Amino acid sequence: MGAMKVTPDHVEIIKNAIQPLDTPERRAQYRAGDFPRAERVTNLEMRYRWDLFWEAWAAAGRPAAWTLDYADAHLDTALRSIVPVLAEEVAV
C-alpha cells in the first residue's frame, strides 16, 4: 500500500504554521545564500520550503500527523502549493 496524499485539513494546518515564517527577510536571506550549508544546495526552492516545513513542524511540537503515512513527494506537493517561489514577494 502506498503512502497517502496529504489531507486538505493537514495542508491547511501546515499552511497556517508556515505562513508566519515565510517572511520577505527570510526570502532575501535564502536568495542571497545566507543560510546553513547553502553551498551544498542544488534546489533552492525545495530547500526553502522544506526548511520552513521542519521549522514549523518543530514549533508545533513535532505532530506525528504531519509526517506519518505521507511520502516526501506528497509532502513536497503540498509544500509547493503553500510556499510561493522565492522570486515572488509575499505579503507581510
Side-chain angles (χ1 to χ4, degrees):
M1 179 175 176
M4 59 189 251
K5 292 184 180 176
V6 182
T7 67
D9 286 345
H10 284 163
V11 170
E12 191 64 25
I13 290 166
I14 293 167
K15 178 181 177 179
N16 290 336
I18 283 177
Q19 281 183 329
L21 304 174
D22 186 17
T23 64
E25 296 79 18
R26 182 178 293 218
R27 289 173 159 273
Q29 271 186 296
Y30 274 74
R31 283 191 299 262
D34 183 18
F35 57 93
R37 297 170 304 284
E39 71 283 354
R40 296 171 50 193
V41 171
T42 57
N43 184 330
L44 182 60
E45 296 293 339
M46 182 179 282
R47 168 66 187 269
Y48 182 67
R49 62 184 173 258
W50 279 94
D51 281 359
L52 289 174
F53 172 81
W54 291 122
E55 185 176 334
W57 182 72
R62 294 175 164 74
W66 288 23
T67 55
L68 291 179
D69 298 323
Y70 295 137
D72 284 355
H74 290 157
L75 274 170
D76 195 54
T77 297
L79 293 173
R80 281 195 317 271
S81 76
I82 293 168
V83 180
V85 295
L86 279 171
E88 295 175 12
E89 291 304 318
V90 296
V92 180

